[in-house]
Amino acid sequence: MDFRLLGRVGAATGAEELQLGPVKRRSVLAALLLKANSAVPVEQLIAALWDDAPPTHARTVVQGHVSRLRALLASAGAGEHGVGLMTQGPSYVFEVPETLLDTCRFERLARRGRLRQRPADAVAVLGEALALWHGPALDGTAPSAPLRAAAQTLEEARLDVVESLAVAHERLGDRAGAVAVLQAEAAAHPLCESLAEALILALYRAGRRSDALDRYHRVRCLLADELGVGPGPGLRGAYETALRGGPMGAGGGGPVSLLPAPGAGPAPVPDARYEADARYEADALLLAPAGRPPAPAGPAPRLLPRGVRGFLGRGTELAALDRITGAGDGAVALVTGPAGVGKTALALQWAHHRQARYPGGTLFADLRGFGGVPVEPAETVREFLIALGVPARDLPDSSAAAAALYRELTARRALLVVLDNARGTDQVRSLLPSGTGSAVLVTSRIRLSGLIVEELARPVPLDVLGPVPATELLAAAVGEERVAAEPEAADRLARLCDGLPLALRITAAQLAARPHWRLADLAAELADEQRRLALLSLDEAEESGVAAALRITVQGLPPEAVRLFALLGVVPGPDLERYAAAALLGRDPAVAAEALDRLAGAHLVTEYAPGRYSTHDLVRLYARGLGTDEGALLRLLDGYTATALAASLAAEPGEKPCCTLPREAPADAPVRTFADRPAALRWYAVERENLAAAVTAARAAGHDDRAWRLAVLQWPYVVWSVRDGWAPLLEQALEASRLLDDPDAESRVRALLGWVLTREGQLSEALAQLELAPALAARAHDPSSEAIALVNLAVALDADGITDASLRHVTRAVRLAREAQDVLTELLALQHRTHQLLARGDIAAAERCTAYALALDDHGVTTGLGALRRAALRLSRSEALLALGEREAAESCTRQALAEAASQGFQEGVNRARSQLEALGRPVDLPAAPKGGDRPVRS
C-alpha cells in the first residue's frame, strides 16, 4: 500500500488507485497524513477544509469524510499493511508505517543522499528522492491556509534537495547535469534567489558565460518588477564571479582571470562591458540563447493582440510554459481546457512577458476552431509570410510552395508562434516553424492527441479557478470594496460560476451595469437553475456567453458523444463511469467508453480518476436544457439496480437474493462483473453517493419500485459500515415501499432499517420497524425473509435482557429457515439462539445447538457472512465447552474461529477469540492481520 502527498494526494494498493472522491475528503486524508501516527483534533481538520469561517455543520462533514475513508481503507485491506484510522477522544489518528508514506521516504532518501561521500552515490540517491514527486505537493486539496503552508514547506524541502543534487553533479564533474537540474526549477521559481545563484554559477562553470549573465539580468528585472527589491549578496556575488572571471579555457577547465597576477606588470585594460557595477546593463554583450540562430536584419514581427486586463493567478501554468519552452529544440506547448476557462488569456499573458526571448519575432493567429468558419492553414501561412517580410506580390501561388518558403524562413529565426483556438492537428501542423530556436504555443478546447504524438507537444491543462482566485477576479472587475462588503455573497457567486473565468467576467459585467445591485441580489438570481445560463450571457443576439461557448464545443463531436452529452443532465449523482453511461445510452459499454473519452477530450467532462468522469454544474445545466430521452433515467436506474444485484451476489454468494429486477427491466442490459467479494465491496464504496442520489431521483420521478431496490441491494456494504448514517436512505426506501403497497418490499426495508437503528442504539425506533416486519414477510409468503425479520427483532428485544418473546421469535425463525432449506439463514438464527442459551446459563443446550449448527451443510460457502456466522458459532461453542470443563476442545474450537475471523476481517470475532485464548492461558498467534469492520448480521 502507498500513500502520496508529493503531487496529487492519493493512495493505492498495488497498481490499483483508491478512489478518494471529492476535494474535501482528499484534504482530510492529507491533513491526517501530514501528522501521521499523531492525534489530529477535529478542529485542525476543519481548518484544513475551510479557509474562511466554516459552516455550522463542519464537524458533521468531517466525520462523514472520516467514515468514508475508513470504509475505503477497509475495502482495500489496509489493515493487512498496518494501516488504520482510529478515533482518540476528540481527535483522529492515522496509523501508517513510515515506509508507506512518500514524504517519509523522501526525507530519508534526502538525508542519505547528503551523507554520501562518493558523488555518484549522492546523485543516485538524491535523484531517487526527487523521483517521488509527481507534481505540486498536496495537489487536489482545498486551498486552505494550513494546507498551503504545508505544501510550501514540502516544496522548500524539495528545492533544497534540488540544489544538493546540482552540487553532487558538479562534484562528479558533470557540469551539464548540474545546469539541467537547476534550469527547470529556476524557471518554475523565478524569484528564488538561491536557485538563481546556483544556476548562474553552474552555467558559468559549464562554459556558458553569456547564459549566466543573461540569467542574472532576468532575475534582477523580475525582483525589481515583482517585489521592488534588488539582488541579494549571494546572487550579486554569483554575477560578479561570472562577469570578472573571463572566458573558459579551451579544455573546459577553470576560468582565466582578467586581473593582473601578483608581481606582474599591468594587465590589459578589460573592456568596459566587463566592469562590475550595480547598474550594469550591457545586454548587447549577451549572445542569443544557446541553440537559437540570430535574427536576420530587419524589424521582427510582433503580432500579439492586446492581453486580457485583470489577469490573475495561474502561476503553476505559467511556470509550466516556462519549463516547456525553456527546453529548446522547437518546443510545442499545448494549453487545453474547457470553454471559457481562460486559455487565450493565459497564452497572451505568457507571450507578452516572454516574447523578448525570441529576437526573430512573434507570430499570432486565431484559428477560429470554435466559432465562425475555421481558418484554413494556407491562409495563415500567407499572413505569416507577409509578417516575415515577404512582399505580397512575391507570395507563392500554391499552398505547398508557401509552406516550403515558411519552413525556409523560420529555420533562420528564433520565433514565438502563438496559435489560438485550434480544433485539430491539421490546422496546426503546417504552421510550426522549422528552427530549433523557436517555440510554439497552441490553445484548444480539444485534447489534440495527434499533436502530442507527432510533434511531442507538452500539454498544459487549464482547470477552473479555485475559490480564492475566483473571488479575486471578481474583486478586480467590480472593486475590492464591493467584494469586501459582501464576502459570503462573493464566495457564493464564485461557486455559482463554477470558477469559470468567462462566467465570472460576465457576472462582473452584470454587476458593473447594475451598480445599485448587491452581490447577494445577483447571487439569488443565479441560484435559479432555470435562469443561470441566460444570465451568464452578455448579448443573446450575438450568442456570447457560457451557453454559446458550450454549444460551439459540442459541434463536430461524434453522434454518440453528442447524444451522451445531452443525457448528462439526467445523471443524479456526482459522477459516472462507462457502465452507467452505457445504461444511459442503451448501448454497449465500449461505445459508452469511447463517447466519454471524446467528451473528456473536449473538456466537457473531467476524468478525475481512471474511468470516472464528473461534470461542472454549468455544463450539467446546459446539457439538461438540450432536451432528453424520456427513458434515459429509467435505463440508468435499471443499470444501477442490475449492477447492485450482481454486486450483492458476488459479496455474499451463499445468500438468497433480497430481490429480483423489476418485471419491465431489460434482462440483457450490460452489467459489470465482480471477480470476488472485495471487488463488490469496493464498488459499493465508490458508488455510494451515486446510488443514494439515484434513490432520490427514482422517488422524485415516481419509480418507487426502483427506489427501494437500490437501497436494500446495498445491504452487504451496510453490514460492514452499519454506523455510517444509513437511516435517511432507508427511510426513503420505506416510503417508496409503502406507496407501492408491496409487503415483501416493506418487510425487507423495515428489517434492514430496524437492524441499523439497533446497532446505532436507537432501540425504541428500531422496535417500531422490526415489530411490523415479520408479519409483512408472512403476507409476502417468504419464509426466509420472515426468519431474518424475526431474528433482527429478537436481537433488538434482547438488548435489555433475554425475553420469552425473543426466545419464541428465534425458535420460529429456525423452523422457518429449516423448512425453506435456507442453511445460511438457519445459521443466523442458531447463532442468536446459542447466544440466548449461554446468557440464560443453559450450557449443555448451547453446546448441542452449536454442534448441530456447525454440522449443517452450507454448500461450501467459505467467505462472507456464512463464514462469519460459523466463526461466531465456534466462539459460542468454545464458551460452552470451557464451561463444561473441556479445555482442549475449547482451545481447538477457538483457534479455528480465530483463523476464520481473521481471514474475513471479522474484528469483533478476532477480539473475542483472543480474549478466550487469554482466559485459557494460551498464546495468541494471529494467522492474518484483520481488515476491521463491524460484526455483520444479515438483514
Side-chain angles (χ1 to χ4, degrees):
M1 201 162 194
D2 182 48
F3 295 90
R4 299 185 303 277
L5 297 176
L6 305 180
R8 185 169 182 80
V9 172
T13 301
E16 185 174 356
E17 187 76 13
L18 300 189
Q19 306 303 314
L20 296 179
V23 169
K24 282 188 168 51
R25 193 171 308 149
R26 196 180 299 272
S27 303
V28 169
L29 177 62
L32 291 169
L33 289 175
L34 285 167
K35 296 188 177 181
N37 303 308
S38 301
V40 182
V42 173
E43 288 72 17
Q44 290 187 16
L45 295 178
I46 291 174
L49 296 193
W50 288 277
D51 207 18
D52 299 317
T56 55
H57 62 288
R59 184 176 293 269
T60 302
V61 172
V62 168
Q63 291 169 344
H65 286 306
V66 169
S67 177
R68 300 289 171 81
L69 286 174
R70 280 178 173 153
L72 186 60
L73 292 169
S75 67
E80 298 175 1
H81 303 276
V83 174
L85 179 47
M86 310 303 175
T87 301
Q88 191 177 98
S91 304
Y92 295 104
V93 180
F94 199 107
E95 295 180 352
V96 57
E98 290 189 353
T99 55
L100 303 185
L101 189 53
D102 62 355
T103 50
C104 295
R105 297 201 301 274
F106 172 76
E107 290 172 4
R108 188 174 65 255
L109 288 169
R111 191 163 50 249
R112 284 172 47 198
R114 292 189 180 103
L115 294 175
R116 286 291 186 268
Q117 296 299 316
R118 296 179 62 241
D121 293 343
V123 167
V125 176
L126 293 172
E128 186 180 351
L130 291 172
L132 294 173
W133 287 73
H134 299 285
L138 308 185
D139 188 27
T141 60
S144 63
L147 292 181
R148 286 199 306 269
Q152 180 62 29
T153 300
L154 289 170
E155 177 64 8
E156 289 170 0
R158 187 184 71 85
L159 293 179
D160 287 342
V161 174
V162 168
E163 294 183 27
S164 298
L165 178 59
V167 171
H169 272 291
E170 290 207 355
R171 287 171 53 208
L172 189 62
D174 181 12
R175 291 168 174 166
V179 170
V181 165
L182 294 166
Q183 206 155 26
E185 298 300 335
H189 301 82
L191 297 177
C192 179
E193 291 196 46
S194 63
L195 273 177
E197 175 187 345
L199 178 57
I200 289 168
L201 292 174
L203 287 166
Y204 170 63
R205 292 168 186 146
R208 296 171 58 180
R209 182 168 178 273
S210 60
D211 287 342
L213 297 174
D214 179 60
R215 173 65 59 175
Y216 170 80
H217 288 299
R218 291 189 202 174
V219 176
R220 179 178 58 78
C221 293
L222 273 175
L223 290 171
D225 293 341
E226 301 290 336
L227 305 178
V229 299
L235 186 57
R236 174 80 183 167
Y239 163 68
E240 292 184 1
T241 296
L243 179 69
R244 297 174 65 89
M248 298 296 294
V256 178
S257 175
L258 294 180
L259 301 177
V269 177
D271 190 289
R273 291 173 298 178
Y274 289 93
E275 291 295 330
D277 188 89
R279 300 181 180 276
Y280 182 79
E281 295 289 347
D283 291 328
L285 171 67
L286 304 179
L287 303 176
R292 292 178 179 166
R302 299 293 182 194
L303 302 187
L304 283 181
R306 180 176 175 271
V308 177
R309 292 188 62 188
F311 184 90
L312 293 170
R314 302 300 195 189
T316 300
E317 291 81 3
L318 292 169
L321 292 175
D322 277 337
R323 284 195 299 273
I324 294 169
T325 55
D329 295 329
V332 179
L334 173 60
V335 177
T336 61
V341 80
K343 299 179 294 295
T344 301
L346 175 73
L348 292 177
Q349 177 76 6
W350 182 86
H352 275 291
H353 283 78
R354 296 292 182 265
Q355 62 179 335
R357 295 182 181 179
Y358 302 92
T362 308
L363 302 176
F364 175 89
D366 181 358
L367 303 182
R368 297 202 296 273
F370 304 91
V373 179
V375 178
E376 291 295 327
E379 179 182 341
T380 306
V381 168
R382 293 172 63 85
E383 291 180 2
F384 282 0
L385 287 175
I386 292 173
L388 292 171
V390 178
R393 62 179 180 276
D394 295 335
L395 291 173
D397 293 331
S398 71
S399 299
L405 178 58
Y406 177 68
R407 289 194 298 272
E408 178 184 349
L409 290 179
T410 56
R412 302 191 304 272
R413 288 178 179 260
L415 286 164
L416 173 60
V417 180
V418 181
L419 304 173
D420 194 28
N421 282 316
R423 181 143 206 144
T425 303
D426 291 341
Q427 265 192 309
V428 172
R429 189 179 293 110
S430 62
L431 302 176
L432 301 178
S434 58
T436 58
S438 296
V440 180
L441 179 53
V442 182
T443 75
S444 180
R445 300 181 194 178
I446 303 292
R447 183 177 55 206
L448 300 181
S449 301
L451 196 65
I452 297 171
V453 173
E454 297 171 15
E455 304 296 339
L456 300 181
R458 298 277 301 280
V460 179
L462 200 60
D463 204 350
V464 297
L465 295 172
V468 174
T471 306
E472 289 176 349
L473 179 57
L474 275 178
V478 303
E480 293 184 2
E481 299 83 1
R482 204 168 173 186
V483 168
E486 298 180 78
E488 293 183 2
D491 180 67
R492 190 181 183 202
L493 282 174
R495 284 186 282 107
L496 289 169
C497 291
D498 263 352
L500 194 69
L502 173 61
L504 289 164
R505 289 182 180 276
I506 293 174
T507 298
Q510 300 275 17
L511 290 168
R514 299 170 175 84
H516 58 285
W517 275 37
R518 297 178 306 122
L519 272 64
D521 295 330
L522 184 55
E525 294 288 324
L526 286 175
D528 182 355
E529 292 186 349
Q530 304 299 320
R531 299 193 60 218
R532 190 178 307 169
L533 288 173
L535 287 168
L536 295 177
S537 174
L538 286 176
D539 189 340
E540 293 184 6
E542 296 179 5
E543 292 190 317
S544 61
V546 175
L550 291 171
R551 178 184 58 77
I552 293 168
T553 304
V554 174
Q555 290 175 349
L557 289 175
E560 289 293 354
V562 174
R563 181 167 170 252
L564 178 58
F565 178 76
L567 296 175
L568 291 180
V570 173
V571 179
D575 61 8
L576 78 165
E577 40 74 67
R578 63 189 178 107
Y579 281 93
L584 274 175
L585 288 169
R587 298 293 304 275
D588 186 85
V591 175
E594 173 64 22
L596 282 170
D597 187 63
R598 296 303 294 265
L599 292 179
H603 296 91
L604 293 168
V605 299
T606 301
E607 188 178 13
Y608 73 90
R612 302 205 67 84
Y613 300 83
S614 63
T615 60
H616 291 297
D617 286 345
L618 292 177
V619 175
R620 192 186 296 255
L621 285 177
Y622 178 75
R624 193 176 296 165
L626 295 178
T628 184
D629 179 345
E630 291 294 331
L633 176 60
L634 194 58
R635 288 197 303 271
L636 179 63
L637 295 174
D638 286 342
Y640 278 138
T641 304
T643 306
L645 180 59
S648 70
L649 295 175
E652 303 299 342
E655 298 281 347
K656 289 186 176 180
C658 65
C659 66
T660 59
L661 293 176
R663 284 191 299 273
E664 64 274 22
D668 57 349
V671 176
R672 177 186 290 277
T673 58
F674 300 95
D676 51 25
R677 185 166 185 272
L681 292 177
R682 282 195 297 273
W683 181 82
Y684 278 124
V686 170
E687 296 289 351
R688 178 175 176 178
E689 291 183 59
N690 286 326
L691 294 174
V695 170
T696 302
R699 293 232 52 228
H703 300 305
D704 292 309
D705 54 342
R706 272 72 173 178
W708 79 266
R709 285 178 167 86
L710 284 169
V712 171
L713 280 168
Q714 297 180 63
W715 74 264
Y717 188 55
V718 173
V719 301
W720 282 99
S721 53
V722 63
R723 297 182 182 88
D724 205 12
W726 293 100
L729 175 74
L730 293 171
E731 286 165 356
Q732 285 196 75
L734 178 59
E735 183 63 25
S737 67
R738 292 177 62 186
L739 289 173
L740 290 169
D741 193 21
D742 183 341
D744 177 59
E746 189 176 348
S747 70
R748 294 180 186 278
V749 176
R750 287 189 186 277
L752 182 55
L753 174 58
W755 179 71
V756 166
L757 293 170
T758 300
R759 298 305 300 270
E760 290 181 348
Q762 303 181 58
L763 291 179
S764 60
E765 293 86 347
L767 288 170
Q769 304 298 332
L770 293 170
E771 287 170 348
L772 299 175
L776 288 164
R779 279 179 54 198
H781 308 292
D782 189 328
S784 292
S785 180
E786 184 181 355
I788 292 168
L790 287 167
V791 172
N792 287 357
L793 174 57
V795 170
L797 289 170
D798 289 347
D800 293 326
I802 308 301
T803 65
D804 291 338
S806 70
L807 286 169
R808 289 194 300 273
H809 293 326
V810 174
T811 300
R812 177 168 172 76
V814 172
R815 185 172 67 254
L816 286 168
R818 190 174 299 161
E819 291 172 356
Q821 298 183 339
D822 185 350
V823 174
L824 291 179
T825 299
E826 186 177 357
L827 282 175
L828 171 66
L830 290 170
Q831 175 188 338
H832 193 64
R833 177 64 172 168
T834 304
H835 167 73
Q836 291 175 323
L837 292 170
L838 287 172
R840 285 209 160 187
D842 195 346
I843 305 302
E847 187 276 331
R848 290 193 300 273
C849 185
T850 57
Y852 169 79
L854 292 169
L856 289 175
D857 182 8
D858 61 359
H859 308 290
V861 175
T862 59
T863 62
L865 296 182
L868 300 188
R869 288 167 190 161
R870 288 189 171 278
L873 282 162
R874 290 191 199 281
L875 290 169
S876 296
R877 179 169 179 76
S878 173
E879 289 184 34
L881 289 170
L882 182 59
L884 293 171
E886 300 182 31
R887 295 178 63 85
E888 290 186 5
E891 180 183 353
S892 174
C893 195
T894 303
R895 291 198 181 279
Q896 283 181 279
L898 177 61
E900 288 176 334
S903 68
Q904 296 300 307
F906 182 18
Q907 186 62 48
E908 184 178 323
V910 169
N911 294 339
R912 282 182 61 194
R914 294 182 67 172
S915 297
Q916 289 178 206
L917 287 173
E918 290 168 356
L920 286 164
R922 296 292 190 265
V924 179
D925 183 18
L926 281 179
K931 298 178 182 179
D934 291 302
R935 175 183 178 182
V937 178
R938 172 70 161 92
S939 305

